mmCIF file of all heavy atoms in Angstrom:
data_model
loop_
_atom_site.group_PDB
_atom_site.id
_atom_site.type_symbol
_atom_site.label_atom_id
_atom_site.label_comp_id
_atom_site.label_asym_id
_atom_site.label_seq_id
_atom_site.Cartn_x
_atom_site.Cartn_y
_atom_site.Cartn_z
ATOM 1 N N LYS A 238 81.138 -48.253 183.570
ATOM 2 C CA LYS A 238 79.779 -48.161 184.074
ATOM 3 C C LYS A 238 78.871 -47.458 183.016
ATOM 4 O O LYS A 238 77.721 -47.860 182.818
ATOM 5 C CB LYS A 238 79.740 -47.356 185.364
ATOM 6 C CG LYS A 238 79.935 -48.239 186.572
ATOM 7 C CD LYS A 238 79.765 -47.473 187.860
ATOM 8 C CE LYS A 238 80.049 -48.398 189.044
ATOM 9 N NZ LYS A 238 80.110 -47.649 190.317
ATOM 10 N N CYS A 254 54.586 -53.858 179.660
ATOM 11 C CA CYS A 254 54.356 -55.263 179.937
ATOM 12 C C CYS A 254 54.032 -56.042 178.646
ATOM 13 O O CYS A 254 54.530 -57.158 178.456
ATOM 14 C CB CYS A 254 53.168 -55.416 180.909
ATOM 15 S SG CYS A 254 53.519 -54.827 182.548
ATOM 16 N N CYS A 257 56.917 -57.164 176.904
ATOM 17 C CA CYS A 257 58.002 -57.766 177.763
ATOM 18 C C CYS A 257 57.980 -59.261 177.606
ATOM 19 O O CYS A 257 56.904 -59.894 177.581
ATOM 20 C CB CYS A 257 57.782 -57.364 179.226
ATOM 21 S SG CYS A 257 58.986 -58.099 180.337
ATOM 22 N N LEU A 259 58.653 -61.429 179.577
ATOM 23 C CA LEU A 259 58.294 -62.128 180.805
ATOM 24 C C LEU A 259 56.760 -62.226 181.008
ATOM 25 O O LEU A 259 56.319 -62.868 181.966
ATOM 26 C CB LEU A 259 58.886 -61.454 182.044
ATOM 27 C CG LEU A 259 60.398 -61.409 182.107
ATOM 28 C CD1 LEU A 259 60.839 -60.468 183.196
ATOM 29 C CD2 LEU A 259 60.922 -62.797 182.366
ATOM 30 N N LEU A 264 53.384 -60.815 186.746
ATOM 31 C CA LEU A 264 52.104 -60.361 187.298
ATOM 32 C C LEU A 264 50.992 -60.174 186.263
ATOM 33 O O LEU A 264 49.862 -60.633 186.499
ATOM 34 C CB LEU A 264 52.363 -59.013 188.053
ATOM 35 C CG LEU A 264 51.145 -58.369 188.653
ATOM 36 C CD1 LEU A 264 50.490 -59.263 189.700
ATOM 37 C CD2 LEU A 264 51.564 -57.033 189.306
ATOM 38 N N LEU A 286 69.656 -51.017 188.853
ATOM 39 C CA LEU A 286 70.319 -50.999 190.156
ATOM 40 C C LEU A 286 71.611 -51.797 190.036
ATOM 41 O O LEU A 286 71.704 -52.680 189.156
ATOM 42 C CB LEU A 286 69.413 -51.599 191.235
ATOM 43 C CG LEU A 286 68.100 -50.821 191.436
ATOM 44 C CD1 LEU A 286 67.286 -51.505 192.524
ATOM 45 C CD2 LEU A 286 68.368 -49.369 191.815
ATOM 46 N N HIS A 287 72.487 -51.534 190.959
ATOM 47 C CA HIS A 287 73.779 -52.237 190.922
ATOM 48 C C HIS A 287 73.984 -53.096 192.134
ATOM 49 O O HIS A 287 73.399 -52.871 193.199
ATOM 50 C CB HIS A 287 74.905 -51.204 190.767
ATOM 51 C CG HIS A 287 74.831 -50.471 189.489
ATOM 52 N ND1 HIS A 287 75.096 -51.054 188.266
ATOM 53 C CD2 HIS A 287 74.401 -49.198 189.199
ATOM 54 C CE1 HIS A 287 74.902 -50.169 187.316
ATOM 55 N NE2 HIS A 287 74.462 -49.032 187.832
ATOM 56 N N ARG A 294 64.491 -52.145 202.907
ATOM 57 C CA ARG A 294 65.121 -52.701 204.114
ATOM 58 C C ARG A 294 64.037 -53.070 205.112
ATOM 59 O O ARG A 294 62.994 -52.459 205.169
ATOM 60 C CB ARG A 294 66.079 -51.688 204.739
ATOM 61 C CG ARG A 294 67.360 -51.521 203.955
ATOM 62 C CD ARG A 294 68.087 -50.264 204.478
ATOM 63 N NE ARG A 294 69.072 -49.784 203.512
ATOM 64 C CZ ARG A 294 70.322 -50.235 203.427
ATOM 65 N NH1 ARG A 294 70.755 -51.175 204.263
ATOM 66 N NH2 ARG A 294 71.139 -49.748 202.530
ATOM 67 N N GLY A 308 68.398 -59.676 185.805
ATOM 68 C CA GLY A 308 69.295 -59.777 186.977
ATOM 69 C C GLY A 308 68.728 -60.663 188.052
ATOM 70 O O GLY A 308 67.946 -61.550 187.775
ATOM 71 N N GLY A 330 60.772 -61.924 186.578
ATOM 72 C CA GLY A 330 59.363 -62.269 186.633
ATOM 73 C C GLY A 330 58.847 -62.501 188.021
ATOM 74 O O GLY A 330 57.616 -62.647 188.239
ATOM 75 N N ILE A 338 52.640 -56.728 203.149
ATOM 76 C CA ILE A 338 51.267 -56.269 203.048
ATOM 77 C C ILE A 338 50.603 -56.317 204.408
ATOM 78 O O ILE A 338 49.863 -55.435 204.793
ATOM 79 C CB ILE A 338 50.490 -57.125 202.051
ATOM 80 C CG1 ILE A 338 51.116 -56.963 200.633
ATOM 81 C CG2 ILE A 338 49.026 -56.733 202.025
ATOM 82 C CD1 ILE A 338 50.544 -57.930 199.590
ATOM 83 N N VAL A 349 69.960 -56.291 195.372
ATOM 84 C CA VAL A 349 70.248 -56.916 194.094
ATOM 85 C C VAL A 349 71.621 -57.554 194.156
ATOM 86 O O VAL A 349 72.557 -57.021 194.743
ATOM 87 C CB VAL A 349 70.101 -55.956 192.888
ATOM 88 C CG1 VAL A 349 68.768 -55.250 192.915
ATOM 89 C CG2 VAL A 349 71.233 -54.932 192.879
ATOM 90 N N LEU A 366 43.528 -51.111 191.771
ATOM 91 C CA LEU A 366 43.324 -51.617 190.415
ATOM 92 C C LEU A 366 42.783 -53.044 190.470
ATOM 93 O O LEU A 366 41.885 -53.386 189.663
ATOM 94 C CB LEU A 366 44.680 -51.640 189.670
ATOM 95 C CG LEU A 366 44.621 -51.664 188.161
ATOM 96 C CD1 LEU A 366 43.841 -50.492 187.612
ATOM 97 C CD2 LEU A 366 46.049 -51.617 187.603
ATOM 98 N N SER A 372 40.571 -60.402 187.250
ATOM 99 C CA SER A 372 41.632 -61.366 186.912
ATOM 100 C C SER A 372 42.955 -60.892 187.528
ATOM 101 O O SER A 372 43.850 -61.732 187.732
ATOM 102 C CB SER A 372 41.733 -61.590 185.429
ATOM 103 O OG SER A 372 41.969 -60.435 184.750
ATOM 104 N N ILE A 385 53.540 -68.867 199.495
ATOM 105 C CA ILE A 385 53.314 -69.677 200.678
ATOM 106 C C ILE A 385 53.742 -71.139 200.389
ATOM 107 O O ILE A 385 54.462 -71.768 201.177
ATOM 108 C CB ILE A 385 51.836 -69.635 201.116
ATOM 109 C CG1 ILE A 385 51.499 -68.214 201.570
ATOM 110 C CG2 ILE A 385 51.556 -70.666 202.207
ATOM 111 C CD1 ILE A 385 50.031 -67.969 201.807
ATOM 112 N N ASP A 424 73.322 -75.135 182.091
ATOM 113 C CA ASP A 424 74.536 -74.299 182.099
ATOM 114 C C ASP A 424 74.190 -72.907 182.510
ATOM 115 O O ASP A 424 73.479 -72.214 181.784
ATOM 116 C CB ASP A 424 75.063 -74.351 180.628
ATOM 117 C CG ASP A 424 76.419 -73.670 180.517
ATOM 118 O OD1 ASP A 424 76.593 -72.597 181.110
ATOM 119 O OD2 ASP A 424 77.294 -74.269 179.852
ATOM 120 N N SER A 428 74.572 -66.138 190.767
ATOM 121 C CA SER A 428 74.826 -64.738 191.077
ATOM 122 C C SER A 428 75.077 -64.554 192.570
ATOM 123 O O SER A 428 75.347 -63.462 193.024
ATOM 124 C CB SER A 428 73.660 -63.873 190.632
ATOM 125 O OG SER A 428 72.459 -64.289 191.227
ATOM 126 N N LEU A 448 80.541 -80.071 199.109
ATOM 127 C CA LEU A 448 79.513 -80.742 198.323
ATOM 128 C C LEU A 448 79.707 -80.471 196.830
ATOM 129 O O LEU A 448 79.611 -81.352 195.993
ATOM 130 C CB LEU A 448 78.097 -80.323 198.745
ATOM 131 C CG LEU A 448 77.628 -80.944 200.027
ATOM 132 C CD1 LEU A 448 76.343 -80.290 200.497
ATOM 133 C CD2 LEU A 448 77.399 -82.440 199.840
ATOM 134 N N GLU A 461 82.952 -74.302 188.063
ATOM 135 C CA GLU A 461 84.142 -73.493 188.101
ATOM 136 C C GLU A 461 83.734 -72.128 188.594
ATOM 137 O O GLU A 461 83.103 -71.376 187.878
ATOM 138 C CB GLU A 461 84.803 -73.403 186.722
ATOM 139 C CG GLU A 461 86.283 -72.985 186.849
ATOM 140 C CD GLU A 461 86.716 -72.248 185.616
ATOM 141 O OE1 GLU A 461 86.041 -72.336 184.561
ATOM 142 O OE2 GLU A 461 87.707 -71.489 185.719
ATOM 143 N N GLU A 474 68.192 -85.337 190.708
ATOM 144 C CA GLU A 474 66.791 -85.479 191.114
ATOM 145 C C GLU A 474 66.649 -86.544 192.205
ATOM 146 O O GLU A 474 66.034 -86.309 193.239
ATOM 147 C CB GLU A 474 65.985 -85.884 189.878
ATOM 148 C CG GLU A 474 64.526 -85.451 189.862
ATOM 149 C CD GLU A 474 64.369 -84.042 189.365
ATOM 150 O OE1 GLU A 474 64.758 -83.753 188.196
ATOM 151 O OE2 GLU A 474 63.905 -83.211 190.129
#
Side-chain angles (χ1 to χ4, degrees):
Chain A
K238 272 186 183 170
C254 292
C257 178
L259 296 167
L264 179 60
L286 298 179
H287 296 289
R294 286 168 199 273
I338 297 171
V349 307
L366 201 57
S372 59
I385 294 170
D424 188 315
S428 59
L448 283 170
E461 200 209 340
E474 209 83 61

